[in-house]
Amino acid sequence: MDQQSFISYLDEWIPKHTDDMISSLLELISILSTDQAPAEGQPFGPEVARAFDYYIQKASEFGISSKNVDGYAIHAEIGSGDEIVMALTHADVVPIGTGWTRNPLGEVHNGKIYGRGAQDNKGPTIACLYALKAIKESGASLNRRIRHVVGGNEESGFRCVRHYFEVEEKPTYGFSPDAMFPLVYAEKGSMNVRVTAILEAGKYSLIQISGGERPNIVPEEANALLKVPEGEEQHVVNALQTFIPHVEDIVGGPGPLSFEFIIEPGALTINCTGKACHASVPWEGTNAVAGLLHLIACLGDQLGSRDLIKFLAHAADIYGKGLNIECEDDISGKLSCNLGVCESSHKNGNTVVTGIYNIRYPVKASGQELKQRALTCERPETPSLTVEVISLSNSHYTDPDSFLVKTLLQIYREETGDYSPPIAIGGGTYAKVIPGGVAYGPVRPGTPETAHQADEFISIEDLLLLVKIYARAMLALAQ
Ligand SMILES: [Zn+2]
């Protein structure tokens, strides 16, 4: 069957199966498959296992063979041949959260299917299953097997697919409907760097600091407690206020960057507010922790551990200058760096400060080389200071001129009329684990992304469009 006749086939097949697809999606959404404590054969707990069972039950009703891979992931497969075309989605969801006006466990309203996971990633999961069913029933001949893999913990660590690819075959062509259209062909690598040191006392001493909760978010709030000589509190505040414009210049971003000073006898609390954003685009935010550290460093030589505080602040440079890892390429742009977490703790009478920096490096750069550069970057000669690389993950790149990318782009363009170019991003999609794979949908440019939010939904129209696009893509890659 050629693509033209398959398109006509789908145009008849999809309307006949629309009601079934909606009920299947609602049933899958009704299982709140968040990551939970492991049990025997259920590494992500009972609810993810129930979602897997539901999928396998559906596949068997459709006469499609399936496999549960040690409870980490499942797959359904049609066709025969040595090679595999793979679609990868996930069955786990983030918790419901608050603020819903629709039923988070599934509801149809005004042409939209609401519920946790509707868009991320149960809608695409059901779309891929029905795409397999449509291809199977069309009788189209396949030169490769088509396999739909469903992982169980995309939202909390990707252990599902790491295990899967250790024990299962790798695909010839693969895509993951867990990001956006038209297609993501390049994802930066990432690296987390941890800096720790003991804070020394001075005339002015930093005794407590806290800001940020996760390395992958630019912190919006930060606060610090300083010890200052009694009677000098107001004088210190006045001096610091004169430095604020200078700090705003260094930290940059869209702002605002604001400071609040609270005086107590012999102590000064500084609260700083910036603007949060995702760590892969730190230039879209204003880092409150970086602002606070830069301001405190302005206290000069009489500040205890001043060089160290300056180092922590400079290491927060959004392009990585402070860690000597600045670089860029023509595909994915500049390296980005975010000081995502800064906190202090008390150990053996010392105050220990820790900063965690989340770095996204360009696809052409070497992660190993950047790691070495960070480990040997210029720093103060403080014996207690350590710089460690606590995680390093590869970048991901698929040639935009490859058969895979050209085929997927063409199908998306024919179905939507949207000619947006393929995308290079800061990284982190599920496609990163598919050797040679790309992210392909489900969110189209200019349409709402509701993943992880209240009132998450997928429109019925989009669900049907996904079935058509994914069925066409699977068939085109398998012929
Ligand atoms: Zn997802």
Side-chain angles (χ1 to χ4, degrees):
M1 186 177 279
D2 63 15
Q3 277 280 326
Q4 256 340 302
S5 13
F6 188 57
I7 293 170
S8 315
Y9 177 82
L10 288 173
D11 286 339
E12 282 190 26
W13 192 92
I14 290 173
K16 283 188 205 148
H17 293 82
T18 299
D19 289 346
D20 286 348
M21 291 181 215
I22 296 170
S23 338
S24 298
L25 179 52
L26 285 170
E27 280 161 15
L28 188 56
I29 288 172
S30 74
I31 304 167
L32 185 61
S33 41
T34 53
D35 197 351
Q36 292 174 10
E40 177 75 38
Q42 302 177 343
F44 314 120
E47 298 308 310
V48 170
R50 272 181 69 209
F52 281 173
D53 289 345
Y54 176 79
Y55 179 99
I56 283 177
Q57 167 68 30
K58 273 284 150 199
S60 93
E61 277 173 30
F62 299 165
I64 295 173
S65 69
S66 62
K67 180 177 177 184
N68 185 327
V69 183
D70 308 319
Y72 282 83
I74 52 175
H75 70 235
E77 185 173 277
I78 59 170
S80 58
D82 291 338
E83 296 183 16
I84 290 181
V85 170
M86 181 180 288
L88 173 67
T89 63
H90 62 90
D92 59 313
V93 292
V94 296
I96 290 173
T98 54
W100 288 75
T101 65
R102 298 284 152 204
N103 184 354
L105 294 180
E107 175 182 342
V108 178
H109 179 81
N110 258 347
K112 294 172 182 153
I113 302 165
Y114 287 87
R116 175 56 77 226
Q119 187 179 74
D120 182 20
N121 194 234
K122 290 179 170 175
T125 296
I126 291 298
C128 286
L129 176 60
Y130 276 83
L132 285 185
K133 179 173 159 71
I135 296 168
K136 182 173 179 283
E137 292 177 4
S138 77
S141 61
L142 308 175
N143 293 323
R144 300 185 175 92
R145 285 172 282 153
I146 302 173
R147 182 178 279 192
H148 175 211
V149 180
V150 185
N153 90 323
E154 188 278 339
E155 300 293 359
S156 40
F158 287 30
R159 278 194 298 135
C160 51
V161 273
R162 292 212 182 88
H163 178 83
Y164 184 87
F165 284 112
E166 275 167 21
V167 299
E168 287 288 336
E169 292 169 70
K170 299 191 175 36
T172 302
Y173 300 115
F175 62 84
S176 175
D178 189 34
M180 67 280 260
F181 282 121
L183 180 148
V184 179
Y185 70 101
E187 298 183 36
K188 287 177 176 172
S190 77
M191 173 162 83
N192 278 354
V193 172
R194 180 167 60 204
V195 176
T196 54
I198 294 172
L199 289 172
E200 311 284 340
K203 183 182 176 193
Y204 312 115
S205 310
L206 173 61
I207 52 176
Q208 189 263 317
I209 184 161
S210 150
E213 281 161 18
R214 288 161 48 180
N216 64 353
I217 303 287
V218 171
E220 184 155 276
E221 306 274 344
N223 57 72
L225 180 62
L226 291 170
K227 220 169 116 188
V228 300
E230 264 194 75
E232 280 195 34
E233 301 88 349
Q234 190 58 52
H235 166 75
V236 171
V237 171
N238 295 346
L240 287 175
Q241 268 164 339
T242 66
F243 288 111
I244 292 175
H246 165 69
V247 170
E248 283 170 342
D249 276 354
I250 301 177
V251 176
L257 188 64
S258 61
F259 293 93
E260 181 194 26
F261 300 93
I262 301 162
I263 291 175
E264 282 172 87
L268 177 63
T269 297
I270 311 175
N271 296 321
C272 178
T273 305
K275 181 176 187 295
C277 71
H278 197 262
S280 59
V281 283
W283 34 83
E284 290 177 9
T286 296
N287 192 317
V289 176
L292 186 58
L293 288 167
H294 275 294
L295 187 73
I296 293 168
C298 292
L299 282 169
D301 292 341
Q302 290 181 302
L303 169 69
S305 288
R306 187 204 182 199
D307 289 346
L308 173 71
I309 293 166
K310 267 174 91 170
F311 174 68
L312 283 164
H314 283 294
D317 175 78
I318 57 172
Y319 300 116
K321 282 179 210 158
L323 291 166
N324 187 35
I325 51 176
E326 194 184 12
C327 60
E328 66 183 294
D329 71 16
D330 53 342
I331 295 167
S332 49
K334 289 178 190 293
L335 174 145
S336 69
C337 174
N338 172 49
L339 170 50
V341 180
C342 186
E343 54 200 12
S344 57
S345 60
H346 296 278
K347 247 188 227 153
N348 309 328
N350 291 316
T351 302
V352 180
V353 63
T354 302
I356 298 178
Y357 300 77
N358 178 245
I359 289 130
R360 314 282 172 129
Y361 62 89
V363 295
K364 285 186 180 172
S366 151
Q368 286 301 335
E369 187 204 319
L370 291 170
K371 177 178 174 178
Q372 283 316 310
R373 279 168 61 180
L375 291 175
T376 55
C377 71
E378 202 183 319
R379 71 192 74 170
E381 286 175 19
T382 309
S384 70
L385 174 62
T386 60
V387 177
E388 300 160 276
V389 172
I390 53 175
S391 71
L392 179 65
S393 75
N394 291 337
S395 57
H396 188 73
Y397 173 74
T398 303
D399 184 354
D401 290 324
S402 61
F403 171 70
L404 172 70
V405 172
K406 282 183 164 166
T407 303
L408 297 182
L409 265 186
Q410 189 191 338
I411 290 170
Y412 171 75
R413 288 172 175 174
E414 286 174 6
E415 289 300 330
T416 63
D418 172 18
Y419 278 70
S420 310
I423 314 165
I425 61 167
T429 88
Y430 212 26
K432 209 166 185 167
V433 296
I434 310 174
V438 295
Y440 186 50
V443 181
R444 281 180 290 131
T447 63
E449 186 175 348
T450 56
H452 300 202
Q453 298 172 31
D455 289 344
E456 178 177 355
F457 73 86
I458 186 167
S459 71
I460 293 171
E461 201 185 335
D462 275 351
L463 179 67
L464 305 184
L465 179 66
L466 293 182
V467 175
K468 192 164 180 204
I469 290 176
Y470 294 143
R472 286 192 59 193
M474 289 169 175
L475 184 65
L477 296 172
Q479 282 189 323

